Amino acid sequence: VTLNELEFPPKSGSIVVFNDGGAMTISFIAPVLNVEAYFTYDSRITITAFDINGNQIGSLSSQFLSNLALSGVAGSRPNELLSLTLPVGISKIVISSTGSFVLDDLKFNTQAAEVPEPTTLALVIGGAAILARFRRKKS
C-alpha cells in the first residue's frame, strides 16, 4: 500500500507529480489558451496564469480546503479538475499551496493565441495610400 492508494489516489495510471509544499511553476514554450489538471490536496490550491511579459492574466482556486481521499472536507472527492481558459495566451502558470498536492493528467491547448487580423478597410486604405504615393513619384 502506498500513499497514492490512501490519501492521494491518482486519477489515472500510477505516475503523478507530487509537491510537498510551496509553489510549482510550469512554463510553456509557446503561449497556450487553456490549462487543466486533476488535483488532490491537503490545503487550498491557487493557479495563477501569466502572459509572455510576466503580467498576471487570470487565476482560480480549488473548491475545497482539502479533498484527500480519507480525511478531506465533507463533500469533497480526490482529483478535482481545475481548468483555466483565457482569451490571452498563457505563457506560465504558478500552482501555489501551503500544503501538499498531487497533480495528474495535465493537459493544455498548444494552439497559440490568435493574433487579430487587420480589417479589410484598413488594407484598402493602406493600399490606396501606397498607390497614391507611387502615382505622385511618377509624375
Side-chain angles (χ1 to χ4, degrees):
V1 177
T2 67
L3 182 61
N4 281 349
E5 295 167 351
L6 297 176
E7 289 284 33
F8 294 91
K11 172 70 176 157
S12 64
S14 61
I15 299 173
V16 296
V17 175
F18 179 74
N19 186 341
D20 197 15
M24 175 187 294
T25 300
I26 300 173
S27 298
F28 302 99
I29 293 172
V32 299
L33 297 177
N34 79 318
V35 179
E36 66 179 44
Y38 291 90
F39 292 90
T40 302
Y41 47 89
D42 65 7
S43 65
R44 187 173 308 277
I45 290 181
T46 300
I47 300 175
T48 307
F50 297 88
D51 67 11
I52 197 161
N53 296 316
N55 300 312
Q56 181 178 334
I57 54 176
S59 69
L60 71 108
S61 293
S62 57
Q63 184 177 0
F64 299 97
L65 293 176
S66 170
N67 72 341
L68 299 176
L70 301 176
S71 62
V73 172
S76 70
R77 293 185 304 169
N79 298 304
E80 178 183 345
L81 177 64
L82 295 179
S83 179
L84 187 60
T85 301
L86 298 170
V88 181
I90 302 168
S91 290
K92 167 177 86 171
I93 61 170
V94 176
I95 306 164
S96 55
S97 174
T98 58
S100 301
F101 64 87
V102 169
L103 177 155
D104 200 5
D105 295 345
L106 174 70
K107 295 179 185 173
F108 51 91
N109 181 343
T110 57
Q111 177 182 357
E114 293 182 26
V115 177
E117 295 287 330
T119 64
T120 304
L121 179 59
L123 287 173
V124 171
I125 291 171
I130 290 170
L131 286 175
R133 188 171 181 165
F134 182 73
R135 289 184 86 189
R136 284 188 199 143
K137 284 186 178 183
K138 268 187 128 176
S139 300

